[in-house]
Amino acid sequence: MARENIRFPQALLFQGKDLKLTDYLSVRHPSYQDVLSLGDGVYSEELYWAYVQIILADPYENMVWLDDRHMDYEEVSPFQVFVLKWLESLEHQVRQLPPGLEADFSPESLVQGALSFFLGEHHFKIGQVDSIGTIIYAEDDPRVCLDKDIYELFASFVKELNCITYKDRINPATKSAKRILIEDTRDEQKKAARRKKPQEDLQSYLVSCAAAMVYGGVGGITPFNYSELKLYPMIFGAMVVQKRMRVASMMNGIYTGMLDGSKLSEEDLRWTSV
């Protein structure tokens, strides 16, 4: 089934408000400080993006994993991917973890951490309801539960508040083109696994966004209050700052005659549109 592209009004995202899913369940719109607090501040951003990846459970990103299980990434939903990967991680733990091992970052603890970070502190489980099918529920409060539709609203909100888009993805027109895409992706993943990237080369995206907001001429955002920003205004704001600088450079090029302004569209020069 094709995944429906759920969008949220920018006005809602700019407010940084949580999204109410049910009478008993809301999705947190985290502040940057919420992210910085993860893992006692050590590798906090890496842990945050691991949480986001787990929640999105994007079939396209998991096309090779699904293909290995004889599943078509265009025929499954993010909810199905999330549940399947969670169940597999539980099975992996049972098989692999030595008795008594402290597994703070085991696959199961990452799933629980991701759900609790966005949905509140609970211990979540997978269950079955005859009239609904598979659900995810809080063991301590069964009223806190998500079916497929609620989960995908949740995942879409997480995607949107992080300004993640899928607009540049390849959409194969034929089965043979899809097979080539999957195998090319498989090769890329193998190469990436063999590659050893030095720690100093790793970039922190959210730190870069925070720096753009603090030092990019945005009034009121300082080194003393930047961590209070909600993620969507911070990420989107950083994108606007960067585009404003590009537009200023283009305008200077037009003024000096180094750039032909007639070849630029109105959208190219609208720095508030990113």
Side-chain angles (χ1 to χ4, degrees):
M1 64 190 71
R3 181 182 178 185
E4 187 175 350
N5 187 20
I6 303 172
R7 301 300 305 271
F8 297 88
Q10 266 196 320
L12 171 68
L13 295 165
F14 258 116
Q15 292 177 69
K17 289 185 177 180
D18 298 346
L19 177 69
K20 184 176 180 180
L21 295 174
T22 70
D23 290 340
Y24 305 100
L25 183 63
S26 295
V27 186
R28 172 164 67 169
H29 187 147
S31 67
Y32 189 35
Q33 184 57 53
D34 292 328
V35 175
L36 293 173
S37 299
L38 285 171
D40 296 324
V42 180
Y43 301 118
S44 56
E45 184 165 340
E46 290 86 346
L47 186 55
Y48 175 71
W49 290 119
Y51 285 173
V52 170
Q53 185 179 44
I54 287 168
I55 296 304
L56 294 187
D58 179 31
Y60 186 96
E61 291 290 337
N62 287 281
M63 66 171 68
V64 174
W65 185 87
L66 291 166
D67 187 64
D68 290 342
R69 287 149 186 81
H70 310 291
M71 301 176 73
D72 186 339
Y73 73 90
E74 291 187 313
E75 299 296 327
V76 298
S77 69
F79 182 69
Q80 288 173 290
V81 174
F82 177 80
V83 170
L84 287 170
K85 296 197 84 169
W86 187 1
L87 289 172
E88 185 165 302
S89 74
L90 289 172
E91 292 174 3
H92 176 79
Q93 279 190 275
V94 171
R95 294 194 307 268
Q96 302 295 332
L97 293 182
L101 178 66
E102 190 69 32
D104 290 339
F105 293 104
S106 66
E108 168 66 7
S109 70
L110 284 172
V111 171
Q112 293 292 341
L115 290 170
S116 292
F117 179 78
F118 286 107
L119 301 178
E121 288 293 333
H122 299 284
H123 186 269
F124 291 90
K125 299 187 74 173
I126 298 172
Q128 292 286 333
V129 175
D130 290 341
S131 59
I132 300 175
T134 303
I135 63 167
I136 299 164
Y137 69 96
E139 191 173 26
D140 56 315
D141 187 354
R143 297 175 302 177
V144 176
C145 65
L146 305 88
D147 61 12
K148 175 183 176 296
D149 291 337
I150 295 174
Y151 182 88
E152 297 204 11
L153 186 63
F154 161 39
S156 294
F157 186 67
V158 172
K159 168 180 167 287
E160 291 272 296
L161 71 85
N162 286 289
C163 297
I164 296 171
T165 69
Y166 298 152
K167 62 182 180 181
D168 295 327
R169 287 188 167 173
I170 299 171
N171 295 303
T174 64
K175 287 185 177 180
S176 59
K178 184 192 292 187
R179 175 49 52 190
I180 292 171
L181 173 63
I182 292 171
E183 295 307 323
D184 285 349
T185 303
R186 190 189 305 278
D187 290 341
E188 284 299 318
Q189 291 178 356
K190 288 178 180 178
K191 291 177 184 176
R194 291 194 296 266
R195 233 179 271 130
K196 292 185 178 179
K197 195 173 185 180
Q199 184 70 27
E200 60 267 20
D201 288 346
L202 295 176
Q203 298 295 315
S204 177
Y205 179 64
L206 294 181
V207 168
S208 297
C209 290
M213 295 297 284
V214 172
Y215 302 110
V218 180
I221 308 301
T222 73
F224 306 104
N225 64 12
Y226 70 92
S227 64
E228 299 171 11
L229 284 167
K230 294 288 187 166
L231 287 193
Y232 181 83
M234 186 178 83
I235 297 171
F236 185 82
M239 293 164 65
V240 169
V241 168
Q242 291 164 358
K243 185 168 182 182
R244 185 182 64 190
M245 295 175 68
R246 290 197 301 270
V247 170
S249 178
M250 287 190 291
M251 294 298 290
N252 184 63
I254 294 171
Y255 179 75
T256 59
M258 299 295 290
L259 182 66
D260 184 359
S262 65
K263 295 182 179 179
L264 298 174
S265 69
E266 183 180 341
E267 187 70 16
D268 292 329
L269 299 175
R270 185 183 295 120
W271 56 266
T272 56
S273 174
V274 297

